[in-house]
Amino acid sequence: MNIPAQLKYTKDHEWISIDGDVATVGITDFAQGELGDIVYVEVETVDETLEIEEIFGTVEAVKTVSDLFLPLSGEIIEFNSALEDEPEKVNSDPYGDGWMIKIKLSDVSQIDGLLSADAYKELIGA
């Protein structure tokens, strides 16, 4: 299982890459494996400012639909539009082409509450 050490993680199986006050967010390799074949990613919250743990979208797999929870408070400034035509990128490249959103952070101190790669491995029993 792929759990890159340079990323941060949430208990909701999302990964976060921080670049200054902008965070890129996607779901982890573990999460996409649990969901199975992803057929649709919906994010209708672009240009909205949401609080930590609010729902920012959904991911639909063949057998289930799961809510996506915002890992950090801020404004959703971008959705990965490639996922509209190729949602399977979340399965094939969850940490690369399968990223979901970018957030302009409103409270960078919340980063301290995210999980390290080791803590995430412990959470999922890897």
Side-chain angles (χ1 to χ4, degrees):
M1 184 170 317
N2 186 8
I3 303 172
Q6 76 276 16
L7 300 176
K8 296 289 188 181
Y9 299 89
T10 70
K11 63 179 176 30
D12 297 312
H13 309 290
E14 291 157 339
W15 60 263
I16 302 95
S17 172
I18 309 288
D19 184 10
D21 66 348
V22 174
T24 302
V25 178
I27 65 169
T28 64
D29 189 30
F30 173 81
Q32 70 78 23
E34 292 291 302
L35 287 169
D37 293 338
I38 293 171
V39 296
Y40 189 67
V41 178
E42 180 177 56
V43 174
E44 295 183 348
T45 50
V46 174
D47 298 327
E48 291 184 25
T49 299
L50 301 175
E51 294 300 314
I52 192 169
E53 295 189 5
E54 279 193 81
I55 294 170
F56 72 84
T58 57
V59 60
E60 183 177 340
V62 173
K63 296 180 181 176
T64 189
V65 176
S66 291
D67 288 332
L68 297 166
F69 298 94
L70 201 66
L72 301 163
S73 298
E75 179 185 0
I76 298 175
I77 56 174
E78 188 177 348
F79 168 63
N80 182 356
S81 59
L83 299 181
E84 291 176 358
D85 295 324
E86 298 178 275
E88 64 275 7
K89 286 181 182 240
V90 175
N91 293 117
S92 63
D93 191 11
Y95 302 112
D97 290 341
W99 66 273
M100 294 183 175
I101 60 167
K102 292 191 180 188
I103 310 164
K104 181 158 181 46
L105 303 177
S106 56
D107 183 355
V108 294
S109 71
Q110 291 176 341
I111 295 168
D112 297 338
L114 297 173
L115 302 174
S116 67
D118 287 341
Y120 183 69
K121 284 179 189 174
E122 191 174 308
L123 175 77
I124 61 172

